[in-house]
Amino acid sequence: MITNKGNLVWCRKVMLGGEKVFEKKFKIEDMFNENEEYHLWILSIGAARQDLFFVNKQIVHLIDCNSSDGILYYAKMSAAHVNESLALLKKAQSDYPEIWRLFNNIEQFENRYKELVELIEGELHGSFYRQVLSHVRNNTFHYNKGNWIKQLKERDFESTKKVLKSLSDEKFFSGYKIGDTPAEHDFYFAEEVQINWLFQLGREFGLNEKELLTHLSLITAKVMNVLSLILYDFFSNYRNRHTGFNIITK
């Protein structure tokens, strides 16, 4: 059953049933101190985690619905958030030794982080993620005007030429819509070209459209889980556990 919730269309409604939902409410000033460096990192980690949470929620929705509506946008967001979240952690590792020491003291963090880096950047297991995340981020955000992989610059519009050749062979149709105002114009031909480029990239790894989305969802969730370890640890601290008040709802 399809229901509307705000501007999003949901193919299924997740019911909590008898499960209890825990919520903590607190004054920001009671939990975070602007002069505490670790607190500033927690806020950045939390922001990155929430970006991953929202984009992954929508990707899972597309998988459940077997839909490609908005797939390019969410694939772009996923790649960007994964890359920037990893860059945030690497920044802590390289430039903030005390922060990194605190992260490594968190149970499971060190191993989970190493697994994540190997998956995304490693030669043995990470070829898909290394190539796809790099291509998606650079080609979609830089609009195919060039790409950097291992310091070698892809020729401008090389990917665009490749997908145009493929779509030409398929006799692919697309178009655009003109509304009453510029805000209502929809030049969807450009999005469809990029979507086909994304699917073509997936096929190079033997993945169909749904499998490609599933892979993007999995890596997004893995990064989100590493960041969540830091947040769980922060809020399990004795002082933080006893700051504010708790709400338990069904």
Side-chain angles (χ1 to χ4, degrees), residues 5 7 11 15 17 77 82 85 118 123-125 132 144 151 156 163-164 170 172 183 193 203 216:
K5 184 178 181 181
N7 293 323
C11 291
M15 301 299 293
M77 289 298 101
V82 165
S85 296
E118 172 61 25
E123 294 291 334
L124 181 59
H125 301 295
V132 170
N144 290 314
Q151 303 302 312
D156 285 352
V163 72
L164 282 177
E170 296 174 14
F172 187 84
V193 169
R203 287 194 293 272
L216 288 174

Side-chain angles (χ1 to χ4, degrees), residues 104 106-118 226 229:
N104 276 320
I106 297 171
E107 186 178 358
Q108 299 185 43
F109 174 83
E110 186 174 9
N111 289 337
R112 293 279 184 89
Y113 176 73
K114 287 180 179 178
E115 290 172 4
L116 184 63
V117 172
E118 172 61 25
V226 170
L229 287 174

Side-chain angles (χ1 to χ4, degrees), residues 83 162-163 173 248:
N83 278 289
K162 184 177 180 180
V163 72
F173 275 79
I248 298 179

